[in-house]
């Protein structure tokens, strides 16, 4: 199978798709990955062909992220605003490359829910899109574009439904992770860990850019207030270890979470999917500092399971609130036991990445075997009450198209020119396609809410 993978966004957004690309290649598939050029500056993807998309730089991405978070108060609106401000323009700038890639591929995979058309026949390109966040409706996932698009959720079923009461859809694959491999250890960090008690780990990944230079100072002061040690993983917010803090705090740019986090007393993190998975595998409780809607959903879910003891939601992090939350988390025996139980359960969980590839291969094989015009029908699980669950959009729709020709806007901010151009292209989507999608998925239109697929449709003609 010839597969095109479109991976745009922060490193946390694209890294799982890079793992998928390598794993698909190892299974014998021909894979092409399209992503921002700065992710390829250090080399390719171990034999997988890569093509750069868009002309946005890393600095441009950081600026967009900063503007979105600082200008939009509602966290749930930030997700879609980021798609509009960053992902859509990069795709629009890459039409020629996308056409060339899709013309020679059989299947397309993306972390952006969208409909792509083949350039030769104007038919919808079969494929999948991957979500790394907890779906709002776990009982049922939508059948998209009459079964041509597969919706995969790379989240642990154990986190979403530990008792099995919801009878989760099989397309909830489990978290994806890289196969364990021996990495060169940071000897400076190893020495620090061996020299005292388990530290508090603070890691905000790509979200560290919002905290500024004061983060290291406030974290150090918090540790001194409560008599603990700490490791600050700088991520995108580059920082250095204060010269007078070698015994209490060490700052590193990057680290192997699977090596560090099990050695920690607790973890303060932003709630990104990959970090959540690593924290759960480590068996330690956590405190969250969320910035966007998907991270907030993880915070709510972890809190519901007793795995997170608090959310630092103040405008600015201070030593006082850091010290308070760390003390609460480290001292919560119930949270620690819940984290240990989750760790042990996840150790027995099937490989989420392998499960995703199995589903992709089965989906592609099924589509190839269908007579022209037939559609794919996926079994819908029933909830504990015996009623099929209803699906809802996991991102509030910013632009809705329905088969009656009506449009409505809700939970929106003023669109930028890129988004206005996208809307104009969406209006041109074939009405028959919309009707087919509507008829096949009536539950997605309850209360006139449409799933986000058509909002990011990009006909390539």
């Amino acid at each position: 199978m010839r597969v095109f993978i479109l991976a745009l966004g922060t490193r946390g957004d694209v890294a799982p798709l890079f793992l998928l690309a390598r794993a698909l290649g190892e299974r014998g598939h021909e894979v092409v990955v399209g992503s921002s050029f700065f992710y390829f500056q250090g080399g390719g993807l171990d034999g997988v062909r890569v093509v750069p998309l868009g002309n946005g730089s890393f600095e441009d991405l950081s600026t967009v992220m900063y503007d979105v978070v600082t200008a939009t108060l509602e966290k749930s609106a930030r997700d879609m605003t980021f798609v509009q401000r960053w992902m859509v323009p990069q795709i629009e700038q890459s039409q020629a490359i996308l056409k060339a890639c899709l013309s020679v591929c059989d299947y397309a995979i993306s972390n952006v829910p969208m409909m792509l058309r083949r350039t030769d026949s104007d038919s919808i390109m079969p494929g999948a899109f991957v979500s790394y966040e907890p779906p709002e409706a776990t009982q049922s996932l939508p059948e998209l574009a009459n079964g041509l698009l597969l919706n995969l959720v790379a989240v642990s079923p154990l986190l979403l439904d530990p008792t099995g009461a919801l009878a989760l859809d099989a397309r909830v694959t489990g978290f994806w992770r890289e196969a364990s491999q021996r990495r060169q250890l940071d000897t400076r960090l190893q020495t620090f860990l061996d020299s005292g008690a388990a530290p508090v780990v603070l890691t905000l990944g790509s979200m560290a850019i919002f905290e500024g230079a004061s983060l290291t100072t406030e974290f150090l002061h918090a540790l001194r207030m409560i008599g603990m040690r700490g490791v600050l993983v700088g991520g995108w917010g580059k920082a250095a270890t204060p010269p007078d803090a070698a015994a209490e705090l060490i700052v590193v740019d990057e680290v192997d979470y699977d090596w560090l986090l099990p050695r920690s007393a607790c973890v303060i993190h932003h709630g990104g999917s990959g970090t959540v998975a690593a924290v759960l595998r480590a068996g330690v409780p956590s405190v969250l500092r969320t910035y966007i809607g998907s991270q907030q959903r993880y915070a709510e879910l972890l809190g519901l399971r007793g795995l997170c003891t608090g959310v630092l939601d103040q405008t600015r992090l201070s030593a006082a609130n850091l010290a308070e939350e760390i003390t609460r988390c480290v001292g919560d025996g119930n949270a620690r036991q819940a984290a240990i139980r989750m760790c042990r359960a996840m150790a027995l969980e099937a490989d989420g990445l392998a499960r995703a590839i199995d589903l992709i291969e089965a989906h592609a094989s099924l589509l190839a075997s269908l007579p022209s015009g037939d559609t794919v029908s996926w079994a819908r699980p029933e909830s504990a009450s015996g009623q099929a669950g209803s699906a809802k959009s996991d991102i509030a729709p910013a632009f809705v198209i329905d088969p009656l020709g009506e449009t409505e806007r809700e939970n929106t901010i003023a669109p930028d020119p890129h988004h206005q151009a996208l809307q104009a292209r969406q209006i041109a989507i074939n009405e028959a396609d919309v009707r087919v999608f509507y008829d096949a998925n009536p539950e997605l239109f309850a209360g006139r809410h449409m799933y986000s697929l058509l909002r990011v449709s990009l006909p390539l003609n």
Side-chain angles (χ1 to χ4, degrees), residues 39-54:
Y39 288 123
F40 304 138
Q41 288 179 327
L45 295 177
D46 300 332
V48 174
R49 181 188 168 197
V50 299
V51 293
L53 298 180

Side-chain angles (χ1 to χ4, degrees), residues 1-5 21 24-25 27-33 48-49 100-109 118 120 125-128 360-361 364:
M1 179 168 63
R2 294 166 298 179
V3 182
F4 175 69
I5 296 181
L24 282 167
R27 288 211 188 179
H29 301 291
E30 298 179 36
V31 183
V32 178
V33 176
V48 174
R49 181 188 168 197
C101 290
L102 293 175
S103 66
V104 296
C105 289
D106 309 305
Y107 200 87
I109 303 172
R118 293 183 183 275
D120 53 353
M125 184 80 183
I360 289 169
E361 290 178 333

